[in-house]
Amino acid sequence: MAREQERDKHSPTTSTRLRGEGGVSPHPASVPRGCSPPLEPRLGARAGFHPAGAATARPFCPLTAAVVWRPLILERARAPRARGPAHSPLLPSPLPRVCRAVPCRAERSRAGGCSGRRGSAPHRSASDRRPLRGCVIAMARRLFPGAWLRKPHYAQVRFSYVRMKYLFISWLVVFVGSWVTYVQYSTYTELCRGHDCRKIICDKYKTGVIDGSACSSLCAKETLYFGKCLSTKPNNQMYLGIWGNLQGVIKCQMEEAAQLDLGTDPEPRKEIVLFDKPTRGTTVEKFKEMVYSLFKAKLGEQGNLSELVNLILSFADGNKDGRVSLPEAKSVWALLQLDEFLLMVILQDKEHTPKLMGFCGNLYVTERVEYSSLYGISLPWIIELFIPSGFRRSMDQWFTPSWPRKAKIAIGFLEFVEDIFHGPYGNFLMCDTSAKNLGYNDKYDLKMIDMRKIVPEMNLKEIIKDRQCESDLDCIYGTDCRTLCDQSKMRCTTEVIQPNLAKACQLLKDYLLRGAPSDIHEELEKQLYLCIALKVTANQMEMEHSLILNNLKTLLWKKISHTNDS
């Protein structure tokens, strides 16, 4: 027995098998204290498994096994390497020297044992754990190079891509949000200049240049407040206002263009020429003559212009003391340059015109209309940019009152058209017939919201007669007042092609036909198309105008007269 052990000890095969290139011996003395010697790797054997005596076997140290087995694996890999390629990517690279110097966990444990059971090893400092962790990571990288490198590299690339994607999206959101905020702020500061209007008006009032029924509340008592901005043009300021316990709409003119043209607002003005008339020393009779001459130029020869002059003078007496002062006269003279103000004074006793509440300089306050559009809903301007016009028109029809209430609103609109067609002070033309200029109250009575583009016919003829043109497209005032271009003279004619009723029917066609009762749908459609076909140049136009207007009002009223909406 002793001879066999001595022979095995000096056998070269055993020595070669148990000794590696690194000179590591699997002798029990070289194994760390508290660890069992590793089994020789063979088919079916795995680290930490003892075929016999597993219950009494000492704890197995994986680090020691790796240090001991690696020379054996390299030794056995020499044979195919000699016959095969010079280098095989499947063979692990040499183990770092630092890992060979790292002792086993059980070797550092005073209590002994490398099983890793909780409580079996004492507390180790971070400096003790750091080399062991680095060693294990290095061993894993060299034992499994493909699995170690491929997955982390993919995860790193994926992480970088996701991070860059979210960084780009975040930057884009911040950029778009900043741009929208800047555009909104710039648009607001350009359109909404109520503080400038108030400053100009109050400066003139405090120096005694102007006066009116709203001046004291606006500048002295400060009971007239500017609310939400409704302006659509910088020179036409419009705000929701609160005057004591009343709600109204404040309108103020800011500037004036040097010359009126067809593509701009017809009533802009400069502050520097405001309130220059009448001059000091002007008597009341002289002021009456000034107003009469102005009305004659705007409205033409009318037999009852004197009554309109007296109506204006009674309105100019803001403090109701029985006389018109020079500051009050200057305020009214500035307001009479505005066609909307003149029309509101003329139609003050009509149901569909908002009431005038007060004035100061060229600022005036009107009654507030609860519903400020004929149909549809108001959306933020950034959303309006991405909505197609056709879909927008269809969407507007979804948000409308019931059909009987729409019929009542339509009847009110037809009555307003009748009021301004050959009224007591001449004919007025609607040059911007859009749903945003019409509104209604809680009883579904029509109220006009914006009448700045309703101009006297005589005034329009004076403006357009000297307009040079090359085609009919050059002879458009506002959006709906169109005339023809005389090619021989290259000048616009003065006769408007389409009357007010035809424009009104064009606006009401989709509004009334959608949801109309089946028993009147066909007749209603017929009357609307006859109305749209009206022309100013047609023979007996006034008779046809009156006939179609009465037919439409009668047809609608018969259908809703027995309902609560009437």
Side-chain angles (χ1 to χ4, degrees), residues 261-274:
D261 58 20
L262 304 184
T264 60
D265 192 283
E267 306 170 10
R269 63 192 335 98
K270 289 182 180 177
E271 190 273 331
I272 58 175
V273 299
L274 284 179

Side-chain angles (χ1 to χ4, degrees), residues 76-92:
R76 292 188 176 185
R78 289 180 180 276
R81 184 179 297 177
R83 297 188 298 271
H87 174 69
S88 176
L90 299 177
L91 296 178

Side-chain angles (χ1 to χ4, degrees), residues 17-18 24-42 45-54 56-69 72 104 106 114:
R17 177 169 55 87
L18 295 180
V24 181
S25 175
H27 193 272
S30 64
V31 179
R33 184 177 58 186
C35 297
S36 61
L39 295 177
E40 179 182 355
R42 57 172 59 90
R46 67 179 183 270
F49 176 75
H50 301 274
T56 60
R58 300 181 68 182
F60 172 67
C61 181
L63 182 58
T64 305
V67 173
V68 175
W69 288 358
L72 301 181
C104 176
C114 296

Side-chain angles (χ1 to χ4, degrees), residues 433-475:
T433 310
S434 59
K436 64 182 180 180
N437 296 332
L438 282 67
Y440 54 92
N441 58 17
D442 55 351
K443 296 181 181 180
Y444 298 95
D445 296 322
L446 178 88
K447 295 288 184 179
M448 297 300 297
I449 300 294
D450 191 350
M451 298 189 294
R452 286 175 295 181
K453 292 296 181 69
I454 302 178
V455 298
E457 184 179 13
M458 292 297 298
N459 194 19
L460 177 61
K461 289 182 178 180
E462 290 295 326
I463 295 174
I464 205 172
K465 69 178 183 179
D466 295 329
R467 171 65 55 178
Q468 296 182 355
C469 64
E470 296 180 358
S471 64
D472 294 342
L473 296 178
D474 298 326
C475 302

Side-chain angles (χ1 to χ4, degrees), residues 33-261:
R33 184 177 58 186
C35 297
S36 61
L39 295 177
E40 179 182 355
R42 57 172 59 90
L43 185 65
R46 67 179 183 270
F49 176 75
H50 301 274
T56 60
R58 300 181 68 182
F60 172 67
C61 181
L63 182 58
T64 305
V67 173
V68 175
W69 288 358
R70 187 163 182 79
L72 301 181
I73 296 173
L74 294 175
E75 181 68 23
R76 292 188 176 185
R78 289 180 180 276
R81 184 179 297 177
R83 297 188 298 271
H87 174 69
S88 176
L90 299 177
L91 296 178
S93 57
L95 191 67
R97 185 173 299 176
V98 66
C99 294
R100 302 176 187 177
V102 176
C104 176
R105 182 184 302 178
E107 194 173 10
R108 285 184 172 271
S109 174
R110 295 182 180 180
C114 296
S115 60
R117 293 187 300 270
R118 182 175 298 178
S120 61
H123 173 73
R124 297 187 303 274
S125 63
S127 60
D128 295 335
R129 294 193 301 268
R130 196 174 296 116
L132 181 60
R133 183 168 59 247
C135 179
V136 172
I137 293 175
M139 289 176 55
R141 287 179 176 177
R142 286 154 178 80
L143 288 175
F144 307 98
W148 177 264
L149 292 176
R150 203 175 301 121
K151 187 173 182 180
H153 178 71
Y154 171 75
Q156 183 178 5
V157 172
R158 180 176 178 82
F159 173 75
S160 300
Y161 170 74
V162 172
R163 182 174 60 182
M164 291 300 296
K165 181 176 69 173
Y166 283 107
L167 283 176
F168 174 75
I169 294 176
S170 302
W171 174 84
L172 186 61
V173 169
V174 172
F175 175 77
V176 173
S178 302
W179 177 80
V180 169
T181 304
Y182 171 75
V183 171
Q184 183 74 4
Y185 176 76
S186 301
T187 305
Y188 180 85
T189 55
E190 180 182 358
L191 291 178
C192 302
R193 303 166 57 191
H195 59 287
D196 295 334
C197 178
R198 180 173 181 173
K199 183 178 183 301
I200 294 172
I201 295 296
C202 290
D203 288 346
K204 295 294 183 180
Y205 169 71
K206 291 177 181 179
T207 55
V209 176
I210 60 174
D211 198 359
S213 57
C215 290
S216 176
S217 299
L218 178 66
C219 304
K221 300 178 182 179
E222 296 185 354
T223 56
L224 178 58
Y225 302 99
F226 283 77
K228 181 181 178 181
C229 178
L230 305 176
S231 305
T232 57
K233 292 184 178 180
N235 57 342
N236 295 318
Q237 295 298 299
M238 183 184 300
Y239 282 81
L240 293 179
I242 300 177
W243 193 354
N245 297 327
L246 302 177
Q247 293 184 349
V249 177
I250 303 174
K251 298 183 179 182
C252 178
Q253 296 298 120
M254 291 295 297
E255 298 174 354
E256 180 179 19
Q259 181 180 0
L260 293 176
D261 58 20

